[in-house]
Amino acid sequence: MSACLFTPSQCHIDLAALRRNFARLGDCASLMPVIKSDAYGHGLLPVARALDASGARRFAVGTVSEGVALRQAGLGQEIVPLMGAFTDEDWRAAAACDLTALIADFEDLEKAAASCAAGRRLQIAIKCDTGMSRLGFTAEDLPCLLERLRGLPGLEPRLILSHLACADMPEETDYTSAQIERFSAMCESLRAAFPGVARSLGNSAGALGLPETRLEACRPGLALYGGNPFAGTAWEKRGSGLEWVMSVSSPILQVRRLKAGQSISYGRIYTAPAPMTVAVVAAGYATGYARNLSNRIDVLIHGRRAPQVGRICMSMLMADVTALPETRAGDTAWLLGGAAAPGQRPVSAQEMADELGTVPYEILCLMGSVNPRVYA
């Protein structure tokens, strides 16, 4: 039996663009691409395989389950679940699948030690809090942490990591510099006890604009998928040249005429100012196209922008195609991406996020998770 689909929209994933973005971010030996949350909606296994073919030596995932899925698919890279282990089953799975288990507090330390089978060692990543105030050990915890680690020979520190809170904000350079200094000091103490342990601090912003944060394992996320972490800032050029990996298309259901003064869709928030032609597109908030975009965004049809009009519905939206008389039912509307005509540009996840007052991560994760994906 074929799969039951609730939308005819499609999420197009350009794996060649993904590989080009990865290559732009520097030496693959010093990168740990972040493929958590189903690779930001792009598909965990297809993305991991594409990056594996491009030379990736490490992966950062979100959960132990994602790490196990990579192992079951035959991928042998070092894998770090950034959210850590939640249950005893997670700890056992991390040990059984040779994941590098995240240790963010002393309770994690004990659970990691308990998960080690007799005579086996468990690789661990030590999470340090340098100013994110989310997960990790503080500088004040280090003496006790080192003492406990010395008494747990079954644990093998492989990585020290922290996370930058605002590396993509030029106005917060002082805070970022302070985080870098704290991390350096914490690493110095830990590496004195465990020489050669790799360090991981930089994110996409670090990979593109803060070389001092790259270290042995830089963790780019958004940049892999084409997002510029410096978009809209004075550092925007530092992230130029990246390509969006995700595009989203949907078919046009019907083309119809409106009379001047005729309203369209729920709430009558749009009334035709003159006779106009509208295309009804088979996408809406059930397919990740936010209702709050109503009357605020364009779609791409025949390579040209068409303004969205009226209230966006659960599975339909309308676009003004008065200037595109060739538009017919069955044509394709591009909600994200698509081939633009000369002088035109496609709608990007960044543009959509700007209109909504959010970040492109949210757009990609949502649209990629609810629309069927096709790969090229």
Side-chain angles (χ1 to χ4, degrees), residues 106 136-146:
F106 290 105
F137 295 96
T138 65
E140 292 72 25
D141 292 327
L142 289 191
C144 182
L145 173 61
L146 287 166

Side-chain angles (χ1 to χ4, degrees), residues 75-349:
L75 292 158
Q77 284 85 350
E78 180 177 11
I79 300 171
V80 181
L82 295 176
M83 295 172 67
F86 309 137
T87 65
D88 290 343
E89 184 180 359
D90 274 353
W91 286 108
R92 290 191 293 270
C97 292
D98 292 320
L99 307 184
T100 301
L102 188 83
I103 307 298
D105 59 27
F106 290 105
E107 185 176 353
D108 285 346
L109 201 62
E110 297 305 320
K111 289 183 176 180
S115 71
C116 290
R120 289 196 61 181
R121 294 174 67 82
L122 175 65
Q123 297 179 351
I124 62 172
I126 300 170
K127 183 64 179 285
C128 296
D129 178 17
T130 59
M132 190 74 165
S133 303
R134 197 170 60 176
L135 295 177
F137 295 96
T138 65
E140 292 72 25
D141 292 327
L142 289 191
C144 182
L145 173 61
L146 287 166
E147 182 180 352
R148 298 277 285 278
L149 284 170
R150 292 187 186 100
L152 296 170
L155 301 184
E156 179 185 351
R158 290 273 297 173
L159 186 71
I160 308 165
L161 71 160
S162 189
H163 196 46
L164 297 169
C166 42
D168 54 351
M169 301 168 65
E171 67 274 21
E172 291 285 357
T173 299
D174 288 346
Y175 193 84
T176 299
S177 295
Q179 279 199 265
I180 295 169
E181 291 176 10
R182 291 189 201 104
F183 186 65
S184 178
M186 294 179 76
C187 286
E188 187 174 349
S189 296
L190 289 164
R191 294 178 104 198
F194 302 99
V197 176
R199 300 163 296 173
S200 179
L201 179 62
N203 49 12
S204 288
L208 293 166
L210 300 167
E212 67 273 29
T213 70
R214 293 186 63 95
L215 304 172
E216 291 82 27
C218 188
R219 304 190 310 274
L222 182 66
L224 283 173
Y225 311 105
N228 182 351
F230 300 120
T233 76
W235 293 349
E236 187 162 9
K237 288 185 179 179
R238 297 187 183 187
S240 61
L242 298 169
E243 304 171 62
W244 290 105
V245 174
M246 180 187 295
S247 300
V248 180
S249 68
S250 192
I252 292 173
L253 299 174
Q254 190 178 84
V255 177
R256 59 187 302 133
R257 295 280 295 172
L258 293 185
K259 298 176 182 179
Q262 187 175 350
S263 61
I264 188 168
S265 194
Y266 293 112
R268 303 186 66 237
I269 66 170
Y270 185 86
T271 299
M276 63 186 295
T277 306
V278 297
V280 181
V281 181
Y285 53 81
T287 53
Y289 200 82
R291 186 172 182 266
N292 282 346
L293 287 171
S294 298
N295 292 333
R296 297 168 57 188
I297 197 76
D298 296 338
V299 298
L300 201 70
I301 298 174
H302 294 298
R304 296 173 62 190
R305 284 189 167 231
Q308 189 281 318
V309 294
R311 183 79 73 194
I312 293 167
C313 310
M314 183 180 293
S315 54
M316 286 182 277
L317 61 88
M318 289 61 63
D320 178 2
V321 292
T322 307
L324 300 170
E326 69 274 28
T327 304
R328 298 289 183 270
D331 289 350
T332 298
W334 291 89
L335 315 182
L336 288 180
Q344 299 281 306
R345 57 182 175 81
V347 177
S348 70

Side-chain angles (χ1 to χ4, degrees), residues 26 47 61 63 85 114 211 261 263 353 360:
V47 165
V61 295
T63 63
S263 61

Side-chain angles (χ1 to χ4, degrees), residues 15-35 47-48 50-59 77 207 214 218 220-221 223-226 242-243 245:
L15 294 175
L18 173 81
R19 291 190 289 266
R20 289 191 292 270
N21 288 338
F22 183 59
R24 289 185 180 99
L25 294 171
D27 180 7
C28 62
S30 66
L31 296 175
M32 179 185 285
V34 180
I35 55 175
V47 165
L51 294 173
D52 173 49
S54 295
R57 301 184 185 182
R58 301 179 174 98
F59 288 126
Q77 284 85 350
R214 293 186 63 95
C218 188
L224 283 173
Y225 311 105
L242 298 169
E243 304 171 62
V245 174

